[in-house]
Amino acid sequence: MDAVRYGDLRPMNEESSHQDESSDPDESSYRRILGTSAVIGAASAVNIVTSIGRVKVLALILGPVGMGLLGMYNTLMSTSGSIAAMGFRYSAVREIASQISAGNEQALADLRAALRYVTFLMGLLGAIVVYLLAGHLSEWTFGDRSHSTPIAILSIGVGITVLAGAQTGLLSGYRDIAGLAYVTVLGALSGAVLATVLVWRLGDAGIPYVVVGLVGLPLLVALYFTTRQPRPTLRPRFSGTLEQSWKLARLGIVAMSSSFMLSLGVLTVRSLIIRELGEEANGFFQAAYGLSLMSVGILLTSMDADFYPRVSEKIAEPRTAERLVNEQAEVCFLLAGPAFLGMLTFAPLLINLLYSSDFVPATALFRWFSIGLLFKITAWPLAIYLLSLSARRWILVSEASWNVLYVLFVWFWIEEFGLATAGVGYLVAQVWYLFIQFVAVRTICGFRWSRVNISLVAVYVTLSVGVLAASSYSAVLGYALGAPITVAAGVYGVRSLGDRAGISGAPRKLIERAYRMMFSGRR
């Protein structure tokens, strides 16, 4: 099995090359996006199904309080890992893609050496710091030091998170889509088995080990696939390694700050919920927030894997980059729009199916998160474009303002409106985030949304608000209105994607294309 390596300097096979040259550039671009989405989507689908089974089992064993604790530990570890990782995963993708595009073997050798040494040191340092501050972190998060020992265990996961991010960044830079897919699938399957066994045998005491294991197992798979990447023919230089380390750090610090602020904002909201509403309410938040992120993970993962390195190669060509951003956004709307409508319509069934009847209060929160995610996927291609442009100030402003707005909204209104404040605040913050991202790319390079994308956003927002209103008024009315709208939107999305990519029999062709990418190395 050969992974798909866009960075490998070996030529493509003649048939694939002929197909790319003879096709329309726009159609080829759409096919590429859809091919990547098909592979990552298939892997993510396995991950989602596996996660559904894992979450269902854990929810039945642990209950709302235990699930809230699981989410709290996971957020705490990811926040600490984001700080320790210094954003090297994102800066590595950009730099690796740029050096491969330029054919600079020496810079690539220096870059890989820098990534290897620096991430090991930062992972070790991050683990030590979290271990030493476990008591303080417990007191700040939970109000006492009763969780010091579990947090000390999480310090291992912090180091693993840093190392795993570097490996997946390397795979993304080389555009090893198949490797990333296998990391997702094998990591999810092994993690589900480990999580079930630990919680079954240890109960709540096994939760920190579950959190660490869920990041440790994918690291083992990623290490295998990174060793399969083409090795640089030149030896790294000490001076070059230092120079590349500085390049990684400059953009990485911004990406780290962005990721850290997101994690810190969500962690602060969780802390407010625990203090004001109790740990059970935090369990409902975890159920709704986790399920909503799981649903959008396919698109976000595929954009990280393929779109980010692809647009990084075109930062010197603003109009080409603008076209890539609009195409990526359009595919996202057509794929995710029907999914979000379905989530809004069938929210009660999903919550009851994936968790239990004890989690019914999470339904309304999940619906607010779903509408907020519609704005998130609209802004995400713009956010990735800003990252590829290394627009550090704009990135920091947009991320900081999102977190401040979300936390302040919840802080001001949680006593009066309860848990629903976390969902409404998330929607408001995502609308602001889209606005500030558009202002940024418009200011830097004169970016314009295509008319098609403007129309799609307007239609899906209108439909989502209508389904939400109908569902809030009456469950029967929500199903009666939402179900046919979801089906119609899904049919329209599939047909539109097939037309744009120039593919007849789109679903079958996409499956064939995904199979070639996974097993034969053909694009």
Side-chain angles (χ1 to χ4, degrees):
M1 179 195 68
D2 291 329
V4 181
R5 298 190 181 106
Y6 292 92
D8 198 333
L9 300 181
R10 295 172 298 174
M12 296 182 296
N13 60 65
E14 293 181 3
E15 180 182 355
S16 177
S17 177
H18 175 73
Q19 288 174 348
D20 287 344
E21 291 175 1
S22 61
S23 60
D24 180 82
D26 289 342
E27 290 184 354
S28 178
S29 180
Y30 278 111
R31 282 199 298 271
R32 186 168 177 173
I33 296 172
L34 290 174
T36 301
S37 298
V39 174
I40 298 297
S44 297
V46 174
N47 182 32
I48 289 174
V49 172
T50 305
S51 298
I52 288 172
R54 185 186 73 230
V55 168
K56 181 71 173 181
V57 172
L58 296 184
L60 291 174
I61 297 175
L62 299 175
V65 174
M67 289 301 292
L69 195 60
L70 176 66
M72 200 67 169
Y73 285 161
N74 187 63
T75 302
L76 185 59
M77 189 186 72
S78 63
T79 302
S80 304
S82 297
I83 299 173
M86 295 287 289
F88 284 158
R89 174 182 178 272
Y90 295 99
S91 55
V93 173
R94 180 183 186 275
E95 294 301 322
I96 289 172
S98 299
Q99 299 303 339
I100 289 175
S101 179
N104 192 334
E105 283 284 338
Q106 183 61 66
L108 189 59
D110 298 338
L111 179 60
R112 291 185 60 165
L115 184 64
R116 182 168 58 251
Y117 296 135
V118 174
T119 52
F120 176 78
L121 292 175
M122 295 306 299
L124 181 62
L125 179 61
I128 292 173
V129 170
V130 171
Y131 179 83
L132 294 177
L133 297 179
H136 298 287
L137 291 172
S138 176
E139 190 170 359
W140 177 76
T141 306
F142 296 95
D144 55 50
R145 297 200 169 207
S146 61
H147 296 269
S148 299
T149 300
I151 292 176
I153 295 172
L154 296 180
S155 65
I156 301 172
V158 172
I160 294 175
T161 299
V162 177
L163 298 178
Q167 302 308 309
T168 55
L170 186 64
L171 292 177
S172 294
Y174 277 95
R175 297 194 215 175
D176 187 352
I177 307 301
L180 290 169
Y182 278 114
V183 170
T184 301
V185 171
L186 298 180
L189 293 174
S190 57
V193 174
L194 178 66
T196 302
V197 172
L198 287 174
V199 173
W200 182 265
R201 296 298 299 271
L202 302 177
D204 287 1
I207 293 177
Y209 299 103
V210 170
V211 175
V212 173
L214 290 177
V215 294
L217 294 174
L219 171 62
L220 298 178
V221 182
L223 285 170
Y224 169 76
F225 281 98
T226 53
T227 59
R228 294 165 58 87
Q229 302 307 315
R231 296 182 177 275
T233 57
L234 303 176
R235 294 176 61 86
R237 305 163 301 168
F238 179 74
S239 60
T241 301
L242 290 179
E243 179 184 354
Q244 293 298 331
S245 298
W246 172 242
K247 285 185 177 181
L248 289 174
R250 288 185 64 192
L251 181 59
I253 290 174
V254 176
M256 177 271 292
S257 300
S258 172
S259 180
F260 166 70
M261 284 187 286
L262 174 61
S263 298
L264 182 62
V266 175
L267 187 62
T268 304
V269 169
R270 289 181 185 276
S271 182
L272 288 171
I273 291 173
I274 290 176
R275 293 172 185 270
E276 297 293 335
L277 305 176
E279 292 193 0
E280 186 177 49
N282 181 52
F284 299 145
F285 177 89
Q286 167 61 23
Y289 188 71
L291 180 57
S292 60
L293 289 185
M294 185 193 304
S295 63
V296 78
I298 295 177
L299 290 175
L300 301 186
T301 303
S302 65
M303 276 193 273
D304 277 348
D306 179 66
F307 176 63
Y308 181 31
R310 194 151 55 96
V311 77
S312 294
E313 295 177 355
K314 303 297 183 182
I315 54 177
E317 306 173 28
R319 297 285 72 82
T320 301
E322 178 181 299
R323 176 178 60 82
L324 293 177
V325 172
N326 272 300
E327 289 174 351
Q328 184 69 54
E330 186 179 352
V331 171
C332 286
F333 296 145
L334 294 173
L335 288 175
F340 288 141
L341 291 172
M343 288 159 55
L344 286 168
T345 302
F346 302 105
L349 298 178
L350 290 173
I351 292 293
N352 192 54
L353 174 66
L354 303 185
Y355 296 97
S356 69
S357 58
D358 294 335
F359 289 82
V360 171
T363 301
L365 195 60
F366 175 62
R367 281 178 166 142
W368 286 111
F369 283 144
S370 297
I371 298 181
L373 287 174
L374 181 61
F375 289 93
K376 182 182 181 70
I377 65 162
T378 307
W380 199 251
L382 301 180
I384 291 179
Y385 187 27
L386 276 182
L387 193 60
S388 68
L389 291 170
S390 191
R392 292 183 289 273
R393 292 182 181 178
W394 277 109
I395 293 173
L396 290 175
V397 168
S398 61
E399 298 296 336
S401 61
W402 184 94
N403 283 277
V404 169
L405 178 59
Y406 188 29
V407 171
L408 287 179
F409 191 98
V410 175
W411 183 53
F412 274 117
W413 299 107
I414 191 169
E415 289 187 8
E416 184 172 353
F417 296 104
L419 190 58
T421 307
V424 178
Y426 184 81
L427 172 58
V428 172
Q430 290 296 356
V431 173
W432 165 256
Y433 187 71
L434 172 59
F435 171 75
I436 197 68
Q437 293 288 340
F438 176 73
V439 170
V441 294
R442 178 71 174 170
T443 302
I444 294 173
C445 53
F447 175 85
R448 293 178 180 272
W449 281 117
S450 67
R451 293 183 179 179
V452 172
N453 284 336
I454 293 174
S455 300
L456 286 173
V457 171
V459 168
Y460 279 117
V461 169
T462 302
L463 292 176
S464 297
V465 171
V467 173
L468 176 63
S471 300
S472 300
Y473 180 77
S474 165
V476 175
L477 180 60
Y479 290 133
L481 179 65
I485 289 178
T486 300
V487 173
V491 172
Y492 172 77
V494 170
R495 289 183 175 179
S496 297
L497 289 171
D499 291 341
R500 284 157 175 74
I503 302 173
S504 58
R508 179 178 61 84
K509 293 291 187 181
L510 286 178
I511 293 173
E512 292 175 354
R513 187 175 183 82
Y515 180 86
R516 289 199 302 270
M517 293 176 72
M518 285 288 288
F519 296 105
S520 66
R522 288 174 52 191
R523 286 166 29 183

